[in-house]
Amino acid sequence: MIVTTSGNVDGRQVTSYKGIVFGEVITGINMFKDIGAGLRNIFGGRSGSYENELTQARESALAEMEERARQLGADAIIAVKMDYEVLGADNGMLMVTCSGTAVSLT
């Protein structure tokens, strides 16, 4: 499946619009990752555990959106947008959402 932030797919024509599709993931960041990230905040450096969590959440949201597009009979998703939010009383939850337009192509 083609997934793009563009409103079109080069060399292909949109033949029908199937609808807007979404992918949503909310994941918790565990205590041990928080400790490691806190140390990196003090001493500097990248937080690999948070980066991995973000990557997994983003990939899961995209996969969910693609599956919803397949269920509609789409060939591609165009005009994709991603959003990231921190949730929870202690900011311990990460929400990743994506949306786009499911389309059929020639």
Side-chain angles (χ1 to χ4, degrees):
M1 170 151 318
I2 298 169
V3 178
T4 181
T5 57
S6 175
N8 58 23
V9 177
D10 286 344
R12 309 280 300 269
Q13 183 175 356
V14 173
T15 57
S16 68
Y17 293 87
K18 303 293 188 175
I20 299 171
V21 287
F22 298 89
E24 305 95 3
V25 172
I26 299 175
T27 184
I29 307 297
N30 71 38
M31 174 182 72
F32 298 110
K33 289 180 183 176
D34 279 344
I35 291 170
L39 291 173
R40 284 190 186 59
N41 192 32
I42 293 168
F43 299 110
R46 294 173 65 164
S47 175
S49 59
Y50 277 172
E51 288 175 0
N52 289 337
E53 193 73 33
L54 179 60
T55 298
Q56 289 177 354
R58 182 177 56 244
E59 289 173 357
S60 293
L62 286 168
E64 184 176 288
M65 183 179 66
E66 287 180 46
E67 179 55 33
R68 289 177 175 165
R70 276 188 198 87
Q71 291 173 359
L72 295 174
D75 301 313
I77 307 170
I78 59 174
V80 172
K81 295 183 180 180
M82 302 280 308
D83 189 34
Y84 306 87
E85 297 289 333
V86 178
L87 305 172
D90 61 351
N91 292 329
M93 304 292 284
L94 172 65
M95 178 175 70
V96 178
T97 60
C98 56
S99 64
T101 303
V103 297
S104 291
L105 303 171
T106 58

